[in-house]
Amino acid sequence: MKFFVVDAFTGNAFSGNPASVVLVDGDFPADGWLQAVAAEFRHAETAFVRSCGERVWDLRWFTPIVEIDLCGHATLATAHVLGGDNTFRTRGGVLRARTSEPGWVELDFPADPTEAVEPTAQLRAALGGAEVVAAGRGKYDLLVQVASEEHVRRLRPDTEALGRMPYRGVLVTAADGTANGVVSRCFYPAVGTPEDPAAGSAHCTIGGWWFERLGVEEVAARQLSKRGGALRVARREGRVLLTGQAVTVMRGELVG
């Protein structure tokens, strides 16, 4: 099987979020083999994709320790490898990808509105005493708004404590002071990724949070991880459009 390593949500190699993309010929192999391959790559997610029709694909995502329901950056990486416009059948629903402009891919994802929750003392402690403004729970993740971009940048969380919380991940976000700019860092220790360099599906939640608070239909999102990442997030008829770039940095063949 051919594989590709793609840096997603970036226009530059060795930044953004790396994902492995494996092109499966025929049926998916056994789940144990898929999980072993993902553990071997050790990226936040590995995507396995197989054709099931004209520009229609079955798509699955595995972290190093578990299969997950939804992943943005590995979907972007897959769409980048395949090229053109594609429809993906996934555990998280039907997703669509199209080339919106040269070098950019637009993903059509489900919106993920949040329900307000009270930040607990345990959460505040796990975030190292950052000034928490508000919090909301989405379908998969807990979103935490903090006071400023600098609070996000300087955050030093206890990821072991975050991993014991009943969420897929914890998303820490703030406005950046511009009309529609937001920043974030995203932590997923519960599924084997202490910090995700540039998370796509997280912005289904982050975008919805900021659309309302900034009074806009689109935000320019930056992720303040060490590798960094950037994307545009727009609201469209109950869905979220995630638009970003990707760069292939490696390709090869699985022989195991």
Side-chain angles (χ1 to χ4, degrees):
M1 298 181 194
K2 293 181 180 179
F3 75 85
F4 302 79
V5 175
V6 177
D7 290 340
F9 294 122
T10 180
N12 301 307
F14 313 120
S15 60
N17 199 354
S20 307
V21 179
V22 179
L23 305 184
V24 176
D25 186 12
D27 294 336
F28 285 117
D31 288 1
W33 186 87
L34 298 175
Q35 187 64 75
V37 171
E40 187 80 4
F41 278 122
R42 298 183 66 185
H43 290 135
E45 277 84 19
T46 294
F48 297 90
V49 62
R50 72 179 189 99
S51 175
C52 55
E54 184 65 28
R55 311 305 298 180
V56 180
W57 310 82
D58 286 331
L59 177 61
R60 299 173 69 181
W61 310 280
F62 287 76
T63 78
I65 62 173
V66 67
E67 184 174 10
I68 61 171
D69 292 342
L70 194 66
C71 179
H73 86 280
T75 305
L76 174 63
T78 303
H80 170 77
V81 168
L82 297 175
D85 297 348
N86 298 280
T87 298
F88 299 111
R89 305 190 310 188
T90 80
R91 294 200 337 182
V94 175
L95 310 175
R96 292 178 174 83
R98 72 180 186 91
T99 302
S100 59
E101 55 191 277
W104 292 78
V105 175
E106 178 188 88
L107 305 177
D108 182 336
F109 266 49
D112 187 18
T114 57
E115 178 182 351
V117 298
E118 184 65 28
T120 64
Q122 291 86 350
L123 174 64
R124 294 176 187 274
L127 294 178
E131 185 179 340
V132 175
V133 174
R137 181 172 188 167
K139 183 176 181 181
Y140 303 109
D141 303 323
L142 177 71
L143 181 146
V144 181
Q145 180 185 343
V146 296
S148 69
E149 175 177 340
E150 190 61 22
H151 280 76
V152 177
R153 190 182 304 278
R154 297 177 62 180
L155 191 67
R156 297 294 181 268
D158 180 343
T159 54
E160 289 188 8
L162 293 181
R164 292 192 292 270
M165 294 182 179
Y167 314 105
R168 181 187 67 167
V170 176
L171 322 176
V172 182
T173 184
D176 70 2
T178 64
N180 69 334
V182 303
V183 298
S184 67
R185 290 173 64 191
C186 301
F187 304 95
Y188 295 95
V191 294
T193 304
E195 181 170 1
D196 198 307
S201 65
H203 284 83
C204 297
T205 310
I206 293 168
W209 183 268
W210 289 112
F211 296 148
E212 302 299 333
R213 284 157 180 80
L214 297 177
V216 297
E217 295 295 307
E218 180 173 326
V219 297
R222 292 180 291 126
Q223 205 149 329
L224 302 182
S225 63
K226 289 183 179 180
R227 290 175 62 99
L231 64 155
R232 302 194 297 262
V233 188
R235 174 164 54 184
R236 294 291 186 276
E237 299 178 351
R239 303 281 291 181
V240 173
L241 304 182
L242 310 173
T243 305
Q245 297 173 286
V247 180
T248 300
V249 296
M250 195 180 305
R251 59 173 57 91
E253 184 176 301
L254 288 172
V255 297

